[in-house]
Amino acid sequence: MKWKMGNTNREWLGFFKVGQEMTYGSVDWKEGWYIDCQKEGDIKPAIGVPLFPTAEQELENDIQGFKDIIETYIKRVSALAQDIMEAMALSLNLPRDFFFKKYTYDPFTQMAMLHYPSFHKDKNISNPDDSSKIEKFGTGPHTDQGFLTILHQDNVGGLQVQLKDKPGHYIDAPPIPGTFICNLGDMLDKSTNGYYLSNVHRVKYNMTGRDRYSFAFFFDPNLDSVPELIPSEFVKQGEKPERWDKQNIHEGFSGTYGDYFMAKIGRIFPDYVYKSTGKLT
């Protein structure tokens, strides 16, 4: 809790406890830490809490090298994400640096280090034959907000992806050693007018008897960039099918990516209310 959300000037970064994060109004049964490489201006003078534990705190808590490991990982996965965006551009018959020049020259990045405790003794959960029980999720059904999410998960599993042609039907996305899972986000969906869809996914309520850990890296447009329809013969104008959450990211949203991000984060963390200034109250 020394590094809880709201303690630095990038107030969406930091620790959140079980029950604090919500997805579309339902509690997510996980805890975690949103983190990025340290930048100048992160520290609020009135609070004085750095983004990472100090070298002394690393030693005290037996996590020597923590900051270096996390920042190195973020830099390397950022490079991977840039490569993927180049491949996406080429797949649309665009110059390979199209997304870099327009959106990811200074990308908005963050990593979620997530812990899903096991609730294997919980009997009050839903099943198909008992409507009196409560439906619970590690993370509820949602789409990610930006361009790409590059996910590393442990071998416990729990991630599920909704089938494109069967709303409400999910399949497991089991961990495969030596691989990442890549989710596409809302801004790629918006920029391609649905040619590349942001995929709906969720995480099952953990009842395995083992703790689950996953590391989701979000690679998104610059906060000041304005997502627009890209010039490609693959991107067609026209009406899109209704989204699973009834929102319209194509005509229903305009403005900077930062505007979209702030609005979505405000719904995920109801304990923190974003104002038009981008500050938390």
Side-chain angles (χ1 to χ4, degrees):
M1 294 300 291
K2 292 179 181 178
W3 293 274
K4 66 181 180 180
M5 294 181 73
N7 272 0
T8 67
N9 280 329
R10 286 191 286 169
E11 295 173 294
W12 54 85
L13 299 179
F15 174 77
F16 65 92
K17 58 188 177 181
V18 174
Q20 186 178 4
E21 182 168 296
M22 302 184 74
T23 300
Y24 289 90
S26 298
V27 169
D28 290 340
W29 293 91
K30 66 174 186 285
E31 63 182 356
W33 194 354
Y34 286 99
I35 197 70
D36 191 15
C37 293
Q38 188 169 288
K39 296 181 180 179
E40 283 189 37
D42 278 335
I43 296 178
K44 286 182 177 178
I47 299 177
V49 177
L51 197 59
F52 284 89
T54 64
E56 292 76 18
Q57 289 167 330
E58 286 188 1
L59 182 61
E60 177 186 348
N61 293 283
D62 195 24
I63 53 170
Q64 293 95 320
F66 176 80
K67 179 176 181 290
D68 181 61
I69 289 169
I70 297 302
E71 291 194 322
T72 299
Y73 181 85
I74 288 173
K75 290 173 183 176
R76 291 183 178 179
V77 183
S78 292
L80 171 62
Q82 293 282 19
D83 288 343
I84 295 173
M85 293 307 301
E86 286 189 5
M88 300 291 278
L90 292 174
S91 77
L92 295 164
N93 281 347
L94 296 169
R96 67 168 61 241
D97 61 355
F98 174 84
F99 288 105
F100 178 82
K101 285 184 174 180
K102 191 171 178 65
Y103 296 115
T104 63
Y105 50 91
D106 182 19
F108 176 72
T109 60
Q110 59 176 337
M111 187 170 76
M113 298 186 287
L114 303 174
H115 169 225
Y116 296 83
S118 177
F119 299 96
H120 57 284
K121 296 182 180 180
D122 185 357
K123 306 302 181 183
N124 190 30
I125 61 170
S126 64
N127 65 68
D129 303 317
D130 190 348
S131 60
S132 67
K133 299 294 179 72
I134 301 170
E135 189 174 37
K136 296 180 181 179
F137 295 101
T139 302
H142 68 285
T143 56
D144 294 336
Q145 64 269 6
F147 273 161
L148 300 174
T149 304
I150 299 175
L151 175 72
H152 174 68
Q153 54 178 337
D154 65 11
N155 62 5
V156 174
L159 178 66
Q160 294 185 316
V161 180
Q162 180 176 263
L163 294 175
K164 175 183 174 182
D165 300 322
K166 294 183 178 180
H169 289 75
Y170 288 81
I171 59 172
D172 290 335
I176 301 173
T179 69
F180 292 108
I181 284 178
C182 184
N183 291 322
L184 306 185
D186 291 343
M187 291 302 100
L188 198 58
D189 192 332
K190 179 178 174 64
S191 297
T192 63
N193 207 28
Y195 182 79
Y196 282 123
L197 291 172
S198 52
N199 54 304
V200 183
H201 52 286
R202 68 187 186 187
V203 177
K204 291 187 290 188
Y205 186 60
N206 185 9
M207 297 191 68
T208 64
R210 295 185 293 162
D211 290 343
R212 177 182 187 260
Y213 294 91
S214 70
F215 303 86
F217 176 74
F218 302 96
F219 186 82
D220 297 343
N222 183 278
L223 288 177
D224 293 326
S225 66
V226 178
E228 297 174 330
L229 207 60
I230 63 176
S232 169
E233 68 268 27
F234 297 105
V235 175
K236 308 297 184 184
Q237 296 284 354
E239 187 175 342
K240 296 282 108 186
E242 185 177 64
R243 267 173 62 105
W244 66 285
D245 58 1
K246 313 300 182 185
Q247 295 187 31
N248 188 335
I249 60 171
H250 299 282
E251 286 80 31
F253 157 70
S254 61
T256 68
Y257 175 62
D259 295 333
Y260 186 79
F261 173 77
M262 292 295 187
K264 195 157 186 174
I265 290 298
R267 294 193 298 269
I268 294 173
F269 291 100
D271 287 353
Y272 300 111
V273 180
Y274 281 89
K275 301 301 183 183
S276 60
T277 58
K279 297 298 182 182
L280 293 166
T281 59

